[in-house]
Amino acid sequence: MNVCKLATEYLYCKDQYDSDEMKFAEATEKAWHKFTELQKEVFYMHVVQGFSFTGIGDIKGYSPRNAQYHFQYASKKIQSFLKENQTVLVSSAAGSVGSIVCQIAKIKGCRVIASTGSDEKVNWLKNELGVDEAFNYKNIDNLVLHLKSLAPEGYDLYFDNVGGEFLESAIFRMKNYGKIVICGRISQMNATEPHGLKNMAHILVKRLTIKGFLIFDHIDDRENFENDMKYWISNDKIKWKETVVQGIENAPQAFLDLLNGKNIGKMLVKI
């Protein structure tokens, strides 16, 4: 069973049982039981001395490795590596991917603006991860004006985890020749009316580069990632947080909570 099959089964369950939460939970649980086969295909874990099992799973597991590949690809391979003092915008910044992106950007000397969905997450991003600015997008009336107030000259790179209206707002505030990395579209996952971009002209006039890509294209970079991450962890440059749910029977609900942004850091299910 591969990622596409798992996603397809989830969408089928949602379509068939969306009005009946009990049946939906039962159907999605069956899909999760097949997840062990998926693990054999695309996941791996190493033991690094001095770090907790769950911590290494978070930092060396699928999502943060995704963040490293996405970030390095956007900054090194699209045009050139990000320069010190450039401004980076990250959405869903308190998730497992976004939080690692924020920290890598800070390591590289960038100014980081982080968006998230709760005041608790804002505090974590500012006080623990050290981003330059963080805000709860749910408290913002006009996102375009707010992004302008935080970075009047615009953004060099936007790391997009949400899609939809946030992506559209970010496009308005990108600098000329800016780069946008499409990593996720979580705001559109359950949207009955998907949000279509209305400002495509800005992409043309600003000569923006927008790139969507997946970890599977960059497995060959694994060794470089591991070396960087080991160094950063050993020198206390990377921090992480986990939301742990007990019991495989609660995995479907944990997945739904993940989609609804109820986790901080990586969402894990402990069996």
Side-chain angles (χ1 to χ4, degrees), residues 129-156:
L129 301 193
V131 302
D132 297 278
E133 299 286 348
F135 63 92
N136 181 351
Y137 72 89
K138 295 177 181 178
N139 296 335
I140 305 302
D141 293 327
N142 188 313
L143 185 56
V144 176
L145 292 181
H146 188 70
L147 292 176
K148 181 178 180 179
S149 70
L150 295 174
E153 296 182 357
Y155 297 86
D156 299 283

Side-chain angles (χ1 to χ4, degrees), residues 38-56:
L38 176 63
Q39 282 184 306
K40 294 176 183 177
E41 294 181 25
V42 299
F43 289 88
Y44 75 97
M45 182 177 294
H46 295 293
V47 175
V48 178
Q49 186 175 3
F51 299 101
S52 70
F53 178 80
T54 54
I56 294 303

Side-chain angles (χ1 to χ4, degrees), residues 23-185:
K23 288 184 178 180
F24 177 61
E26 292 175 355
T28 51
E29 185 172 358
K30 291 179 181 179
W32 275 94
H33 280 307
K34 300 177 183 177
F35 198 67
T36 53
E37 293 303 316
L38 176 63
Q39 282 184 306
K40 294 176 183 177
E41 294 181 25
V42 299
F43 289 88
Y44 75 97
M45 182 177 294
H46 295 293
V47 175
V48 178
Q49 186 175 3
F51 299 101
S52 70
F53 178 80
T54 54
I56 294 303
D58 189 33
I59 293 300
K60 293 181 68 58
Y62 176 75
S63 291
R65 181 149 47 103
N66 225 10
Q68 169 76 348
Y69 288 139
H70 283 269
F71 190 86
Q72 287 197 342
Y73 189 86
S75 57
K76 293 175 70 174
K77 297 182 179 179
I78 289 180
Q79 286 190 15
S80 60
F81 196 79
L82 280 177
K83 298 176 177 62
E84 189 174 4
N85 297 322
Q86 286 190 323
T87 303
V88 176
L89 174 64
V90 183
S91 58
S92 193
S96 58
V97 172
S99 60
I100 300 298
V101 172
C102 288
Q103 293 176 85
I104 293 173
K106 288 302 299 178
I107 289 171
K108 300 299 182 180
C110 298
R111 180 170 183 258
V112 177
I113 311 297
S115 169
T116 189
S118 76
D119 294 340
E120 179 186 7
K121 294 177 181 180
V122 167
N123 290 334
W124 181 59
L125 287 163
K126 294 182 69 173
N127 299 327
E128 295 294 328
L129 301 193
V131 302
D132 297 278
E133 299 286 348
F135 63 92
N136 181 351
Y137 72 89
K138 295 177 181 178
N139 296 335
I140 305 302
D141 293 327
N142 188 313
L143 185 56
V144 176
L145 292 181
H146 188 70
L147 292 176
K148 181 178 180 179
S149 70
L150 295 174
E153 296 182 357
Y155 297 86
D156 299 283
L157 185 143
Y158 168 45
F159 193 96
D160 180 36
N161 287 305
V162 299
E165 294 183 20
F166 199 105
L167 172 58
E168 183 174 272
S169 298
I171 289 173
F172 278 121
R173 296 306 312 150
M174 296 299 294
K175 294 180 181 179
N176 288 344
Y177 306 105
K179 297 181 279 288
I180 297 177
V181 180
I182 306 294
C183 179
R185 50 185 295 276

